[in-house]
Amino acid sequence: MEIFDVAIVGGGPAGSVCAAFCARAGLRTLVLEREKFPREKVCGDCLNPSCWPVLERLDLAERVRDLPHSKLDSVEFIAIDGHTVNIDLPTGDDCEVSVKRSVFDNLLLRHAGQLGAHVCEETTVASLAGNGGWKIETASGEMFSARALIGADGRNSTVARLCNLLPKPKRERVALQAHIPLLRNFGRRVVLQFLPEGYSGQAPVNEAELNLCLVGTPPTISRLRRWAERHFEITSDQPWRTITPLTRSPVPCGHENLLFIGDAARVVEPFTGEGIYYAMRSGELAATAISKIIRGEDQRPTLHQFTRACAEMYRGRLWINRLARAAVLWPNAGSFFVRAARVQPAILRLLTRKIVSPEL
């Protein structure tokens, strides 16, 4: 049985960033990832400016800028009745960009491996046993041992489920996402469009493809899909990725030698542009905490610092997720704000600035 300092379940941005920082700190680091990378992920594909400081600390910022991507210079809000409001986004090297998760996540995972993390793809965790350390068994019968365990495996976390910590989901909304041919003259903008059935998010991810997201309730999602087929002239056999739940109570992020990061800890809207930042930053915070614990620092204050830092990361920002949820459940209310913003755009400017504000 191979023995590691830390085992990280999940190789998305949270897990890969955590693994990279752990490996760089000299820890024996294991990543267990269910999928084979590169793979797509239901997401708005947007990196807000808060992400750049984390990428700089990983020495990855320039490599991300070299990936196929689009720089985004504005966000357009569209009400049900067609009224629009445009808000400018920050410019410069650290602006908002959109990039496909297949290429972005693959870069992060490979970087963790290059720094020394042992990466196992197509590996599903089947059972966990914790007693001072952790014994991990995979579906194929492999066994691993680790002093600390990190759940970075998303909103339906296997680690949380196996540890009886996964809250009951709220399946009030469903999301669909696809990459379709980029419309001519679409421009370098993000579109957030309110519809009678929910809302649609649209953003170019390179020179040829558009990320198209639809969020609705179970009774309305099929109508949203038919709207998209008409509006974007796509065929009924267009493949869509889907995700649910979009809401779930948070899992406490610190449990002695078990930490949760990214969507495994707190589920946020995948289309507000903040989820990837929360994932990466929580991964960095977890790596710092685990490094201290492995090196013998007092566990209790270290976990307290980690929990407090995670709470501070979300502080003052989660209201945006509540607004996004309300916009789907009551799209007429979202449209009202868009119409009101044509007269007084301060609220949409505040919302946009909050999302794209740089890391404090």
Side-chain angles (χ1 to χ4, degrees):
M1 181 187 300
E2 292 190 72
I3 301 174
F4 294 87
D5 291 315
V6 56
I8 301 166
V9 180
S16 291
V17 166
C18 186
F21 280 115
C22 285
R24 198 162 70 177
L27 303 186
R28 297 185 303 279
T29 303
L30 171 69
V31 180
L32 301 175
E33 166 53 47
R34 182 180 60 187
E35 305 289 342
K36 173 68 176 176
F37 280 36
R39 58 89 181 95
E40 290 299 347
K41 181 81 173 181
V42 176
C43 180
D45 286 344
C46 290
L47 305 182
N48 68 32
S50 300
C51 296
W52 293 113
V54 182
L55 293 169
E56 292 283 0
R57 292 191 285 273
L58 281 171
D59 300 319
L60 276 180
E62 289 307 313
R63 291 178 65 184
V64 170
R65 293 187 181 102
D66 288 339
L67 297 174
H69 69 278
S70 289
K71 290 185 177 181
L72 304 172
D73 54 24
S74 67
V75 55
E76 182 177 43
F77 297 88
I78 305 178
I80 290 176
D81 60 10
H83 285 98
T84 65
V85 174
N86 288 280
I87 306 293
D88 290 337
L89 295 174
T91 59
D93 288 342
D94 294 343
C95 66
E96 179 113 355
V97 303
S98 53
V99 56
K100 293 177 75 171
R101 289 289 299 275
S102 55
V103 294
F104 179 73
D105 290 11
N106 191 54
L107 173 64
L108 294 182
L109 185 62
R110 301 307 164 210
H111 186 63
Q114 291 161 5
L115 289 173
H118 182 64
V119 177
C120 298
E121 297 175 78
E122 298 180 286
T123 302
T124 300
V125 173
S127 68
L128 296 169
N131 185 15
W134 288 93
K135 298 294 188 294
I136 306 163
E137 183 176 2
T138 71
S140 61
E142 293 178 284
M143 300 289 293
F144 300 96
S145 176
R147 296 172 64 184
L149 177 66
I150 294 180
D153 49 345
R155 62 194 62 222
N156 296 307
S157 169
T158 295
V159 173
R161 177 175 55 79
L162 291 174
C163 295
N164 295 316
L165 294 170
L166 189 65
K168 185 177 180 179
K170 298 177 182 178
R171 303 191 183 277
E172 62 194 5
R173 290 169 300 149
V174 180
L176 299 178
Q177 185 251 2
H179 292 111
I180 65 173
L182 181 62
L183 304 181
R184 181 177 298 180
N185 300 322
F186 188 88
R188 293 164 50 175
R189 60 184 174 132
V190 183
V191 173
L192 297 177
Q193 184 168 1
F194 296 104
L195 298 156
E197 302 84 3
Y199 79 81
S200 169
Q202 305 142 34
V205 292
N206 51 49
E207 294 182 355
E209 292 177 284
L210 180 76
N211 180 317
L212 173 59
C213 300
L214 307 173
V215 184
T217 61
T220 66
I221 196 68
S222 60
R223 296 201 301 273
L224 267 175
R225 180 171 173 170
R226 289 195 294 271
W227 168 85
E229 291 169 359
R230 295 192 305 270
H231 189 75
F232 295 97
E233 298 182 353
I234 53 181
T235 61
S236 59
D237 60 355
Q238 165 71 44
W240 295 86
R241 290 171 285 276
T242 186
I243 192 168
T244 191
L246 295 185
T247 301
R248 192 206 68 201
S249 299
V251 173
C253 59
H255 305 258
E256 296 185 359
N257 59 349
L258 168 63
L259 305 183
F260 289 96
I261 56 179
D263 273 358
R266 181 184 287 273
V267 174
V268 299
E269 295 288 333
F271 311 123
T272 61
E274 295 191 294
I276 295 176
Y277 164 67
Y278 292 140
M280 293 198 302
R281 179 61 178 148
S282 64
E284 182 180 20
L285 292 171
T288 299
I290 290 297
S291 296
K292 290 179 179 180
I293 292 170
I294 295 297
R295 284 173 169 72
E297 294 193 27
D298 195 314
Q299 180 171 281
R300 182 170 294 179
T302 298
L303 287 177
H304 178 71
Q305 291 170 7
F306 168 68
T307 301
R308 187 173 59 188
C310 287
E312 186 62 31
M313 173 182 67
Y314 292 108
R315 196 180 313 281
R317 302 173 76 117
L318 290 176
W319 62 273
I320 296 169
N321 286 276
R322 289 191 286 271
L323 280 180
R325 174 176 173 268
V328 175
L329 296 177
W330 302 286
N332 284 311
S335 290
F336 170 80
F337 279 109
V338 174
R339 291 194 298 272
R342 288 169 59 84
V343 178
Q344 179 49 265
I347 186 169
L348 289 183
R349 284 180 182 156
L350 172 63
L351 184 151
T352 303
R353 185 167 63 248
K354 201 71 176 177
I355 292 176
V356 302
S357 62
E359 179 189 31
L360 300 177

